[in-house]
Amino acid sequence: MHDRNHLANVGMTHEVNVITNGLLDIPMLQMLAEDGTPHKEATLPELDEKTAKDILHAMQYVRVLDERMIGAQRQGRISFYLACTGEEAATTASAAALKPQDMIMSQYREQGALAYRGYTTEQFMNQMFSNEKDPNKGRQMPIHYGDKALNFMTISSPLGTQIPQASGYAYGQKMEGTDAVTICYFGEGAASEGDFHAGLNMAAVLNCPVIFFCRNNGYAISTPASEQFAGDGIASRGIGYGVKTIRVDGNDVMAVYAATQTAREIAVKEQCPVLIEAMTYRLAAHSTSDDPTGYRSREEEEKWRAKDPIARMKAWMTAQGWFDEEANAKVVEKMREDVLNELKRVEKVDVPVIDEIIEDVYDTPPWHLKAQLKELKEHISKYPEHYPKTSGRLNRG
Amino acid sequence: MHDRNHLANVGMTHEVNVITNGLLDIPMLQMLAEDGTPHKEATLPELDEKTAKDILHAMQYVRVLDERMIGAQRQGRISFYLACTGEEAATTASAAALKPQDMIMSQYREQGALAYRGYTTEQFMNQMFSNEKDPNKGRQMPIHYGDKALNFMTISSPLGTQIPQASGYAYGQKMEGTDAVTICYFGEGAASEGDFHAGLNMAAVLNCPVIFFCRNNGYAISTPASEQFAGDGIASRGIGYGVKTIRVDGNDVMAVYAATQTAREIAVKEQCPVLIEAMTYRLAAHSTSDDPTGYRSREEEEKWRAKDPIARMKAWMTAQGWFDEEANAKVVEKMREDVLNELKRVEKVDVPVIDEIIEDVYDTPPWHLKAQLKELKEHISKYPEHYPKTSGRLNRG
Amino acid sequence: MAKMNLLQAINNALITAMEENEKVMVFGEDVGHFGGVFRATSNLQEKFGKGRCFNTPLTEQGIIGFANGLAAQGSSPVAEIQFGDYIFPAFDQIVNETAKWRYRSGGQFSVGTLTIRTPYGGGIAGGHYHSQSPEAYFAHTPGMKIVIPRNPYQAKGLLLASIRDDNPVLFMEPKKLYRASVGEVPEDDYELPIGKAEVIKEGKDITLLAWGAQIEIIEKAAEMAEKDGVSAEIIDLRSILPWDADTVAESVMKTGRLLINHEAPLTGGFASEIAATIQERCFLYLEAPISRVCGLDTPYPLAHEKEYMPDHLKTYEAIKRTLQY
Amino acid sequence: MAKMNLLQAINNALITAMEENEKVMVFGEDVGHFGGVFRATSNLQEKFGKGRCFNTPLTEQGIIGFANGLAAQGSSPVAEIQFGDYIFPAFDQIVNETAKWRYRSGGQFSVGTLTIRTPYGGGIAGGHYHSQSPEAYFAHTPGMKIVIPRNPYQAKGLLLASIRDDNPVLFMEPKKLYRASVGEVPEDDYELPIGKAEVIKEGKDITLLAWGAQIEIIEKAAEMAEKDGVSAEIIDLRSILPWDADTVAESVMKTGRLLINHEAPLTGGFASEIAATIQERCFLYLEAPISRVCGLDTPYPLAHEKEYMPDHLKTYEAIKRTLQY
Ligand SMILES: Cc1ncc(C[n+]2csc(CCOP(=O)(O)OP(=O)(O)O)c2C)c(N)n1
Ligand SMILES: Cc1ncc(C[n+]2csc(CCOP(=O)(O)OP(=O)(O)O)c2C)c(N)n1
Ligand SMILES: [Mg+2]
Ligand SMILES: [Mg+2]
């Protein structure tokens, strides 16, 4: 039983000092200027040609995917989509700075991380068409990806819930003593949830090797950051929890890569959490259900379009001699075709057989679920034409 | 639709800067040294003799109440008690700096505020004995006081819930445009709840005139502050929310009074929240259900006993010529007697009549509650000896 | 009278309430300038100012905590939870605070002026987290009232009554009907009673009971059964808590049979309470077991939504089973 | 065999589980060095180190969120919520996350190794916030298991089974019995089955069903009724979800009468589910309406606790009413 003095590190004053945010001023790390030239003062991270190309590839891929799937949603081929446009650097370069064994717990706008890890077009499509090939078994809306093999936790819609979960996951990694951390992505809106508070505080107190990666993209659906919080972004909160914090230009691949690399090093070496706030902008609508013209101006969007993270990365890679415009155009064209072809192919795949409806509620279906399935199948077989997606395959396997 | 740039106030850096708590160093306001002499640099608040005496009176009163009621609990006369001992300055001087129209939403250890407002011994007893004279109608455990006339919201056990509630209450006060604020008390433990995060953030964004008053007394039951958070106390969090913050020596009446006065001025003038962190120590056990010898040392307690807020105030008042030891001893003795007499008298008062069991669930009891009451009364009248507290008065009024 | 869809009726009710009483304030995620993701609060900020209609940060526990305090202060908050599926972070504030506020203070304080609005229910390809029907979670909570409209006329009248009722009301809106349900709605102020079920259609062989979007399901099933010569009485419960057991019992004493339909999973759904109460009240009148046609006991699925739903065909089959018992 | 009270049996089960499997970790508010406010986790930190038994900050949503992640990672967390009344801030993490984790990921991920322990129930002068019995709130949640022991022997065997069960289990402990219930408990490892009710006493006139601390109440009522010549069958449900409808139905087909007793408020309590199911399964066997003897539909009171409780006398009277029907 040691003596714990909660005043031990508290200094003293004798005048009423009202501390305001002015005290804190958390600068944003930028390594590449908006035109792609490195800042002189910046020490660029070691990023080899292959990794740089992989990052660019993933960024371009998700941009293509976004375009195509928004189109597919407009055509009524899928019910819903949510684009990452504008935030490709934040979500891709951060994942690139991790190791494959690191767990990713994401919000929903992090297809960059998933693409970087190697999730295939087929996998994206299987999830979005809720078909029987999707290991998530078509139970959630499009974009709720998840893949055990890639250490990418299946996404859940309720915002912020993954934050304390990530602390717990990382605690388990620490207890196992492996060289692995957890990265937890979330938006600046989600950071208003009570779970954010719980997750950061617990990670700090319980020394969990977790990287909290906040995409501050200025909006939560229609709500601007200015109506979301009054402090200095999300970074300033890290200080309150005693969590080491880095603010970074989320549209700068180099800065994001360097910040995440540093964060991972700290998390592993010191077995503690690190918070990264990536300043970026949601260029897309919130989702295909949203129309941002109702709440923000074209000019604002244009200003941010000029900060396109992909263009910046291309410029830098061009300077390295790693980028060829013409070859790239072909690659992107091929991506477009692939996505479209895969879409056409996958949209014909069946939904899971009806037996799946009661599976995975528990490890094995209890009596009442078996009874409910039996009754349901009998019912479907009475009205097969009303349940066309499942009635054709009532006798599984 | 104005342009809102969430980068507007963000500076830039080109090197990976990991911000740690070292950046912040929130000093603690102390005006009276532990021996009661004012610090030279301190500008003491204007505190007239009457107010000073009222504060001391309330502080001494709750100390007496605590002693007596802990005794009463040991004798089995009440089921539960929770003492404020050691935290009298924090809870009393803060209330003294308010106006009567200000709403108090407390946690449970703030009997100082209640006593200062004029809650009588009879009222304390009525609540603790859950009797029919208690306007709270004996529905909650002892110490869950509440009094509409004194603008003291009835206490609720679930921790932290009052924090966003206080923001909402203050918002209503703002909308009415009266000169009134809300003060919200809570412990450093309760500040870990998600509701804390929600409450502070909402107050900051929605400009609510609320004073968040955190009693950081080092413990949440057995859990020391060092296992509750890793940051620089609760004050450092205020910065993250953009909430003006003051850290104060909670055992120093002058400092608490000055801080709360300043906070109230800011809240009213700027229509915004202010956070006060009062550094203090829970000298008592958590409650009568607790035994702190299991988790902290005698020496630690002794160190804090030496910082007794009542002794400090007495010393200062003596220097002002406002305190007479002998006269005071009589006053305190009288308090002891009064409390004991009132206790003896009130413990005989009946519990509320059984009809009350279904009242106040709704504004008027719906059919099912009426039916349940009817059935209950019939049942009690069949077995009157088994329900001795209520069977004697089944026909109300 | 004007033709309105359910959303417009709600918007109209909010305008009516805000015009009448300046203490009515409307807030939640995206409800301000944008008018809410479904647009139920369109134009309210323009009409009544940012003080009375505003966005909150993204925190449901905060929204209801804030609303509780605001109600205790004497204002009339109408808090929106963007989807019923996201009401659970506010569960503690609702169940431990809102519902118990008046009781624990002996009636000294109350949050009776609070109204919580939330869209609920499936049938919109929303999967797990945009489809749930959480009414039963709240129905086990003394102190709350729960109200669910089935069409625009009901929506306006019941929402106005809820806002003015001096008890906290959870007002659940069947989002599937937001635009799909269109009807005549008086432009004037009116209220419909809370706590009263409505007998929509009289019948003599079986009582069909539902609420919200499921009313049209049981109506459709009743039509099918009618062709077999079955005369069904159709009741809209409208208020889940307190619920109108008298009206239901009276009907069942006449018909001798009861079928309850809801979207939420069967086990622990509110149909269980109704069945338990009615089997007791109408024991000697029942000619067949009370039948529950409900969602399966699984999370709400996406690919199998159609199969999951307690639709008119399942209801029709259950009617037949009950009559053949 | 050793004499243990219910707390000791739980402590013993935790030691057994932690010794056997190093992935079992125990945490919550004050559970570390102090051993929990009831001392259920006494000495665990000393025995197994701070890494495996530790205090958390004061945040129930955080505790369960953290536990969810830890379980998904492959550890076996046993999270304590200090009082059942304080589980509601974690409601979202339990209902939307814990319960749906496996389903939403198609079984790729799960938190099946999670166990949540919490003391519940009244009879200890705890008023509103130290007395609630929230089992029904969770029983409407597919994916969860809910287990409640009635004595030390059951507590150890059921807790061990819960920790090892590959589904998330909410393990609710009747705190009124923590020290009051004492009995012989094997020191060895053993498990009792989850999902199975236990017929404690056979009888032929009426089935009495309860769980947790209310078992002794129905036993007492049964003794009183016995003197009137009534032979009661007594069943401990033990698992609330999934629940053992077969055992209950079989008993009711024999006795023709069913009485269910629980502390939680009547409306929407779990007795309603049981009554709804059994009236359907046993319709032709029932000789009287199924009777529910439960808490009133009010928040849990303090001064009137005795009157509020569904005690043996109320149960006895209900038995008589049911038999005289
Ligand atoms: C608990 C919860 N509340 C509300 C929602 C509805 N919702 C979905 S996305 C969103 C905005 C999220 O904003 P942010 O976290 O900033 O992420 P971004 O969309 O900007 O990437 C809202 C309110 C939800 N999914 N979960
Ligand atoms: C939501 C909730 N969780 C747990 C508890 C049990 N509990 C009562 S007091 C307490 C400790 C509170 O510590 P703190 O906030 O620091 O206040 P202090 O007792 O030190 O004044 C706990 C855990 C509770 N009342 N409410
Ligand atoms: Mg955002
Ligand atoms: Mg404390």
Side-chain angles (χ1 to χ4, degrees):
Chain A
M1 216 157 37
H2 49 129
D3 184 55
R4 323 168 194 81
N5 182 355
H6 60 299
L7 290 194
N9 301 309
V10 174
M12 211 180 277
T13 175
H14 306 303
E15 283 176 81
V16 182
N17 259 312
V18 182
I19 315 276
T20 60
N21 8 0
L23 189 74
L24 255 189
D25 184 14
I26 304 184
M28 175 179 88
L29 172 68
Q30 189 181 75
M31 292 193 149
L32 303 182
E34 289 186 17
D35 65 2
T37 50
H39 287 288
K40 279 196 214 66
E41 309 85 333
T43 319
L44 297 197
E46 279 178 40
L47 185 66
D48 60 40
E49 183 174 347
K50 176 171 180 332
T51 309
K53 286 184 166 168
D54 286 350
I55 290 174
L56 180 66
H57 188 272
M59 286 168 71
Q60 293 193 117
Y61 175 78
V62 299
R63 176 106 16 131
V64 164
L65 186 70
D66 284 356
E67 284 164 13
R68 282 287 185 225
M69 298 319 291
I70 289 173
Q73 195 277 341
R74 290 219 181 96
Q75 294 165 2
R77 294 162 89 169
I78 53 168
S79 59
F80 179 83
Y81 189 74
L82 189 146
C84 174
T85 313
E87 302 180 50
E88 295 91 346
T91 57
T92 306
S94 53
L98 300 177
K99 299 204 173 169
Q101 67 267 31
D102 295 337
M103 171 51 68
I104 298 180
M105 298 181 83
S106 82
Q107 179 157 311
Y108 51 50
R109 207 183 291 285
E110 293 84 3
Q111 45 266 53
L114 201 43
Y116 186 85
R117 281 252 166 123
Y119 207 58
T120 65
T121 303
E122 180 181 6
Q123 287 177 303
F124 275 109
M125 294 298 153
N126 286 338
Q127 197 287 326
M128 284 188 273
F129 284 100
S130 321
N131 69 27
E132 63 176 0
K133 295 269 168 68
D134 174 30
N136 299 291
K137 300 187 184 165
R139 290 183 179 136
Q140 286 193 91
M141 283 171 71
I143 70 109
H144 290 72
Y145 317 109
D147 193 67
K148 179 104 180 163
L150 294 181
N151 282 319
F152 191 97
M153 184 63 70
T154 299
I155 293 165
S156 159
S157 309
L159 288 167
T161 51
Q162 79 278 19
I163 305 175
Q165 290 165 6
S167 305
Y169 202 101
Y171 189 88
Q173 291 171 317
K174 174 173 87 164
M175 290 299 282
E176 281 192 356
T178 51
D179 170 29
V181 305
T182 298
I183 192 166
C184 176
Y185 292 98
F186 53 92
E188 89 293 342
S192 293
E193 291 283 2
D195 275 355
F196 165 89
H197 182 60
L200 268 83
N201 191 39
M202 290 185 81
V205 174
L206 298 169
N207 304 305
C208 308
V210 51
I211 301 170
F212 296 112
F213 194 101
C214 178
R215 297 179 292 93
N216 182 345
N217 63 8
Y219 286 89
I221 308 185
S222 78
T223 304
S226 59
E227 296 181 19
Q228 194 66 246
F229 48 76
D232 180 21
I234 306 303
S236 63
R237 293 188 197 159
I239 316 307
Y241 298 115
V243 170
K244 297 196 160 69
T245 298
I246 306 172
R247 172 175 274 162
V248 68
D249 181 343
N251 288 15
D252 175 355
V253 163
M254 283 299 162
V256 170
Y257 188 79
T260 313
Q261 231 178 15
T262 305
R264 192 183 188 282
E265 270 165 37
I266 294 173
V268 170
K269 210 159 91 197
E270 304 177 25
Q271 292 289 298
C272 72
V274 180
L275 169 65
I276 297 176
E277 181 184 27
M279 310 305 289
T280 179
Y281 190 83
R282 196 197 76 209
L283 274 177
H286 168 69
S287 74
T288 50
S289 312
D290 176 50
D291 173 11
T293 59
Y295 54 84
R296 69 187 191 190
S297 68
R298 254 238 134 66
E299 299 79 59
E300 183 186 305
E301 291 181 9
E302 286 314 322
K303 236 171 33 198
W304 277 93
R305 220 174 287 284
K307 298 182 203 262
D308 183 4
I310 295 182
R312 199 185 308 186
M313 184 59 176
K314 279 182 189 168
W316 180 75
M317 284 177 66
T318 305
Q320 311 304 303
W322 295 349
F323 183 77
D324 175 74
E325 185 57 63
E326 217 167 300
N328 186 65
K330 276 187 201 137
V331 170
V332 172
E333 197 37 49
K334 174 85 167 51
M335 280 179 188
R336 290 216 174 86
E337 275 168 35
D338 286 354
V339 167
L340 197 59
N341 290 339
E342 206 56 12
L343 192 157
K344 282 186 192 149
R345 193 178 66 76
V346 168
E347 70 185 343
K348 295 190 199 91
V349 177
D350 277 337
V351 303
V353 295
I354 191 61
D355 304 70
E356 298 277 13
I357 197 171
I358 63 153
E359 276 167 28
D360 305 317
V361 182
Y362 295 94
D363 54 349
T364 52
W367 65 269
H368 65 298
L369 283 172
K370 282 190 204 144
Q372 290 176 12
L373 176 64
K374 183 163 170 283
E375 201 182 315
L376 177 60
K377 284 176 133 182
E378 284 163 13
H379 179 75
I380 293 174
S381 64
K382 225 175 246 166
Y383 297 97
E385 71 286 4
H386 279 89
Y387 308 95
K389 285 193 194 165
T390 49
S391 55
R393 291 178 306 146
L394 276 184
N395 298 310
R396 168 197 225 172
Chain B
M1 214 157 40
H2 49 131
D3 184 54
R4 322 170 195 78
N5 183 354
H6 59 300
L7 289 195
N9 300 310
V10 175
M12 212 179 275
T13 176
H14 306 305
E15 282 175 81
V16 183
N17 260 311
V18 182
I19 315 275
T20 59
N21 6 0
L23 189 73
L24 255 189
D25 184 14
I26 304 183
M28 174 180 87
L29 172 67
Q30 188 182 75
M31 292 193 150
L32 302 182
E34 289 185 18
D35 65 1
T37 50
H39 287 288
K40 280 195 212 64
E41 311 85 333
T43 320
L44 297 197
E46 280 177 40
L47 185 65
D48 58 40
E49 184 175 344
K50 176 170 180 336
T51 309
K53 286 184 167 170
D54 286 351
I55 291 174
L56 181 66
H57 188 272
M59 286 168 71
Q60 294 194 118
Y61 175 78
V62 299
R63 176 106 15 130
V64 164
L65 186 70
D66 284 357
E67 284 164 13
R68 282 287 186 222
M69 298 319 292
I70 289 173
Q73 195 277 339
R74 290 220 182 96
Q75 296 166 0
R77 295 162 90 169
I78 54 169
S79 58
F80 178 83
Y81 190 73
L82 189 146
C84 173
T85 313
E87 303 180 50
E88 294 92 347
T91 58
T92 305
S94 53
L98 301 176
K99 299 204 173 169
Q101 68 268 30
D102 295 337
M103 171 52 69
I104 297 180
M105 298 180 84
S106 82
Q107 179 158 312
Y108 52 48
R109 206 183 292 286
E110 293 83 3
Q111 44 267 52
L114 201 44
Y116 186 86
R117 282 252 166 124
Y119 207 57
T120 65
T121 303
E122 180 181 5
Q123 287 176 303
F124 276 108
M125 295 299 153
N126 286 339
Q127 198 287 324
M128 283 187 274
F129 284 100
S130 319
N131 70 27
E132 64 175 1
K133 295 267 169 67
D134 174 31
N136 299 291
K137 298 186 186 167
R139 289 181 179 138
Q140 286 193 90
M141 282 171 72
I143 70 108
H144 290 72
Y145 317 108
D147 192 69
K148 180 105 179 163
L150 295 180
N151 282 320
F152 191 98
M153 184 63 70
T154 298
I155 292 165
S156 157
S157 310
L159 288 167
T161 51
Q162 80 278 20
I163 305 176
Q165 290 165 6
S167 305
Y169 202 101
Y171 188 87
Q173 291 171 317
K174 175 173 86 165
M175 291 299 283
E176 280 191 357
T178 51
D179 170 29
V181 305
T182 297
I183 191 165
C184 176
Y185 291 98
F186 53 92
E188 90 292 341
S192 292
E193 291 283 1
D195 275 354
F196 166 89
H197 182 61
L200 268 84
N201 189 39
M202 290 184 80
V205 174
L206 298 168
N207 304 306
C208 308
V210 50
I211 301 170
F212 296 112
F213 193 101
C214 178
R215 296 178 292 96
N216 182 345
N217 62 8
Y219 287 89
I221 307 185
S222 77
T223 304
S226 59
E227 295 181 20
Q228 193 66 247
F229 48 73
D232 181 19
I234 306 303
S236 63
R237 293 186 197 159
I239 316 307
Y241 298 115
V243 170
K244 296 196 162 67
T245 298
I246 305 173
R247 171 176 276 162
V248 68
D249 181 342
N251 289 16
D252 176 355
V253 163
M254 284 297 159
V256 171
Y257 188 79
T260 313
Q261 228 177 18
T262 305
R264 191 183 190 284
E265 271 166 36
I266 294 172
V268 170
K269 208 157 96 201
E270 304 177 26
Q271 292 288 298
C272 73
V274 180
L275 170 65
I276 297 176
E277 181 183 24
M279 309 305 288
T280 179
Y281 189 82
R282 196 198 76 209
L283 273 178
H286 169 69
S287 73
T288 50
S289 312
D290 177 48
D291 173 12
T293 59
Y295 54 83
R296 69 187 190 190
S297 68
R298 254 235 136 70
E299 299 79 62
E300 185 186 305
E301 290 182 9
E302 285 315 321
K303 235 166 42 197
W304 278 92
R305 220 175 288 281
K307 298 182 204 261
D308 182 4
I310 295 183
R312 199 185 310 185
M313 184 61 174
K314 278 184 194 168
W316 181 74
M317 283 176 67
T318 305
Q320 311 305 303
W322 294 350
F323 183 76
D324 175 74
E325 185 57 61
E326 217 168 301
N328 185 65
K330 277 188 201 135
V331 171
V332 171
E333 198 36 49
K334 175 86 169 51
M335 280 177 187
R336 289 216 176 87
E337 274 168 35
D338 286 354
V339 167
L340 197 59
N341 290 338
E342 206 56 13
L343 193 158
K344 283 185 191 151
R345 193 179 66 77
V346 168
E347 70 185 342
K348 295 190 199 94
V349 178
D350 277 337
V351 303
V353 296
I354 192 60
D355 304 70
E356 299 278 12
I357 197 171
I358 64 153
E359 276 166 28
D360 305 316
V361 181
Y362 295 94
D363 55 348
T364 51
W367 64 268
H368 65 299
L369 282 173
K370 282 191 205 142
Q372 291 176 12
L373 177 64
K374 184 161 170 285
E375 203 182 312
L376 176 61
K377 284 175 134 186
E378 284 164 11
H379 179 74
I380 293 174
S381 63
K382 226 176 246 165
Y383 297 96
E385 71 287 4
H386 280 89
Y387 307 94
K389 285 194 195 167
T390 49
S391 55
R393 291 177 307 147
L394 276 182
N395 296 310
R396 170 195 225 171
Chain C
M1 285 286 194
K3 255 211 158 52
M4 295 185 195
N5 65 26
L6 205 146
L7 275 172
Q8 291 163 330
I10 283 164
N11 189 256
N12 188 273
L14 290 171
I15 290 171
T16 307
M18 291 178 89
E19 275 173 350
E20 181 215 26
N21 178 1
E22 63 168 20
K23 292 200 167 300
V24 176
M25 297 174 205
V26 174
F27 51 88
E29 294 158 15
D30 301 295
V31 310
H33 172 73
F34 190 52
V37 295
F38 291 103
R39 306 305 173 86
T41 57
S42 281
N43 300 317
L44 300 185
Q45 187 172 86
E46 277 171 33
K47 264 197 181 25
F48 301 102
K50 260 198 137 175
R52 293 183 58 203
C53 175
F54 50 94
N55 287 341
T56 63
L58 210 169
T59 166
E60 293 76 15
Q61 66 192 107
I63 292 169
I64 303 302
F66 186 92
N68 276 332
L70 190 53
Q73 181 272 338
S75 300
S76 286
V78 183
E80 176 177 306
I81 297 295
Q82 200 164 76
F83 284 88
D85 312 73
Y86 304 137
I87 201 168
F88 301 127
F91 204 74
D92 185 56
Q93 282 285 350
I94 298 173
V95 161
N96 265 344
E97 297 290 317
T98 307
K100 299 177 173 56
W101 203 292
R102 193 195 301 262
Y103 198 72
R104 74 186 178 207
S105 70
Q108 288 191 92
F109 300 99
S110 109
V111 296
T113 49
L114 170 62
T115 306
I116 303 171
R117 293 180 41 245
T118 194
Y120 83 95
I124 58 146
H128 278 41
Y129 296 119
H130 296 83
S131 304
Q132 293 175 68
S133 297
E135 68 273 15
Y137 285 120
F138 297 96
H140 187 43
T141 309
M144 291 303 298
K145 293 193 174 184
I146 306 172
V147 173
I148 303 182
R150 74 170 182 280
N151 65 26
Y153 174 74
Q154 301 279 332
K156 179 173 173 182
L158 286 171
L159 182 53
L160 278 170
S162 298
I163 292 172
R164 292 160 183 167
D165 189 281
D166 193 18
N167 296 285
V169 178
L170 175 61
F171 189 83
M172 298 177 62
E173 302 164 4
K175 61 172 140 1
K176 183 181 151 189
L177 303 184
Y178 266 161
R179 295 194 168 80
S181 178
V182 179
E184 292 294 328
V185 176
E187 279 156 300
D188 290 350
D189 197 334
Y190 65 98
E191 290 182 23
L192 294 173
I194 295 178
K196 286 295 300 167
E198 185 189 355
V199 179
I200 300 179
K201 180 185 154 299
E202 300 210 2
K204 55 184 187 31
D205 299 328
I206 185 169
T207 303
L208 306 181
L209 178 65
W211 47 89
Q214 293 306 95
I215 291 290
E216 51 179 43
I217 301 296
I218 60 172
E219 283 178 333
K220 217 162 154 185
E223 273 169 38
M224 290 177 73
E226 205 108 324
K227 294 194 184 119
D228 302 340
V230 176
S231 156
E233 179 140 320
I234 299 178
I235 302 183
D236 178 0
L237 195 59
R238 293 199 297 197
S239 288
I240 307 299
L241 195 72
W243 66 287
D244 186 355
D246 282 349
T247 297
V248 179
E250 202 178 301
S251 171
V252 175
M253 286 188 213
K254 180 176 74 179
T255 63
R257 293 178 189 86
L258 174 62
L259 180 153
I260 312 151
N261 176 305
H262 61 59
E263 273 182 60
L266 178 87
T267 298
F270 198 67
S272 66
E273 176 57 42
I274 298 168
T277 298
I278 296 301
Q279 65 84 27
E280 189 170 1
R281 286 225 195 171
C282 306
F283 190 73
L284 299 173
Y285 298 83
L286 280 171
E287 289 169 36
I290 298 166
S291 168
R292 293 182 289 164
V293 181
C294 303
L296 304 194
D297 281 319
T298 71
Y300 200 104
L302 183 78
H304 294 141
E305 175 167 30
K306 207 172 164 39
E307 287 77 5
Y308 175 88
M309 285 287 268
D311 63 14
H312 61 289
L313 297 174
K314 292 182 188 173
T315 309
Y316 169 63
E317 289 296 321
I319 294 173
K320 286 202 292 189
R321 275 198 304 276
T322 303
L323 276 140
Q324 284 152 17
Y325 190 84
Chain D
M1 284 285 193
K3 254 211 157 54
M4 295 186 195
N5 65 25
L6 206 145
L7 275 172
Q8 291 163 331
I10 284 164
N11 188 255
N12 188 274
L14 291 172
I15 291 172
T16 307
M18 291 178 89
E19 275 172 351
E20 181 216 27
N21 179 0
E22 64 169 19
K23 291 198 167 302
V24 176
M25 296 174 206
V26 174
F27 51 89
E29 294 158 15
D30 302 295
V31 310
H33 172 73
F34 189 53
V37 295
F38 291 103
R39 306 305 174 86
T41 57
S42 281
N43 300 317
L44 300 183
Q45 188 174 83
E46 276 171 34
K47 265 196 179 28
F48 302 102
K50 260 197 135 173
R52 293 182 59 204
C53 174
F54 51 94
N55 287 341
T56 62
L58 210 170
T59 166
E60 292 75 15
Q61 66 192 108
I63 292 169
I64 303 301
F66 186 93
N68 276 332
L70 190 53
Q73 181 272 337
S75 301
S76 287
V78 183
E80 176 178 307
I81 297 295
Q82 200 165 79
F83 284 87
D85 312 71
Y86 304 137
I87 201 167
F88 302 127
F91 204 76
D92 186 56
Q93 281 286 351
I94 298 174
V95 161
N96 264 345
E97 297 290 317
T98 307
K100 299 177 172 59
W101 203 292
R102 194 195 302 261
Y103 198 73
R104 75 186 178 206
S105 70
Q108 289 192 92
F109 300 98
S110 109
V111 296
T113 49
L114 171 62
T115 306
I116 304 172
R117 291 181 42 245
T118 195
Y120 84 96
I124 56 144
H128 278 42
Y129 295 118
H130 296 84
S131 305
Q132 293 175 68
S133 297
E135 68 273 15
Y137 285 120
F138 297 96
H140 188 42
T141 310
M144 291 304 297
K145 294 194 174 183
I146 306 172
V147 173
I148 303 182
R150 76 170 180 280
N151 64 27
Y153 174 74
Q154 301 278 332
K156 178 171 175 183
L158 287 170
L159 182 52
L160 279 170
S162 298
I163 292 172
R164 291 160 183 166
D165 189 280
D166 194 18
N167 295 285
V169 178
L170 175 60
F171 188 83
M172 298 175 62
E173 303 164 3
K175 61 171 138 4
K176 184 180 150 190
L177 303 185
Y178 265 161
R179 295 196 168 79
S181 178
V182 178
E184 291 294 328
V185 177
E187 279 157 300
D188 291 349
D189 197 334
Y190 66 98
E191 291 183 23
L192 294 173
I194 295 178
K196 285 296 296 168
E198 185 191 353
V199 181
I200 298 179
K201 179 185 154 298
E202 301 210 2
K204 56 185 190 24
D205 298 328
I206 184 169
T207 303
L208 306 182
L209 178 65
W211 47 88
Q214 292 306 94
I215 291 290
E216 51 178 44
I217 302 296
I218 59 173
E219 284 177 334
K220 217 163 155 186
E223 272 169 40
M224 290 177 73
E226 206 109 326
K227 294 194 183 121
D228 302 341
V230 176
S231 155
E233 179 140 321
I234 299 178
I235 303 183
D236 177 0
L237 195 59
R238 294 198 298 196
S239 288
I240 306 299
L241 194 72
W243 67 286
D244 187 356
D246 282 349
T247 297
V248 179
E250 202 178 301
S251 171
V252 174
M253 285 188 217
K254 181 176 73 178
T255 63
R257 293 177 188 86
L258 175 62
L259 179 154
I260 311 151
N261 176 304
H262 62 57
E263 274 183 58
L266 178 87
T267 298
F270 198 66
S272 66
E273 176 58 41
I274 298 168
T277 298
I278 296 300
Q279 66 84 27
E280 188 170 0
R281 287 224 196 171
C282 307
F283 189 74
L284 298 175
Y285 298 83
L286 281 171
E287 288 168 38
I290 298 166
S291 169
R292 294 181 288 164
V293 181
C294 303
L296 303 194
D297 282 320
T298 72
Y300 200 102
L302 184 78
H304 293 142
E305 174 166 32
K306 207 173 163 40
E307 287 77 6
Y308 175 87
M309 285 287 268
D311 62 13
H312 63 289
L313 297 174
K314 293 183 188 172
T315 309
Y316 169 63
E317 288 296 320
I319 293 173
K320 285 202 292 188
R321 275 198 303 276
T322 303
L323 275 140
Q324 283 152 17
Y325 191 85

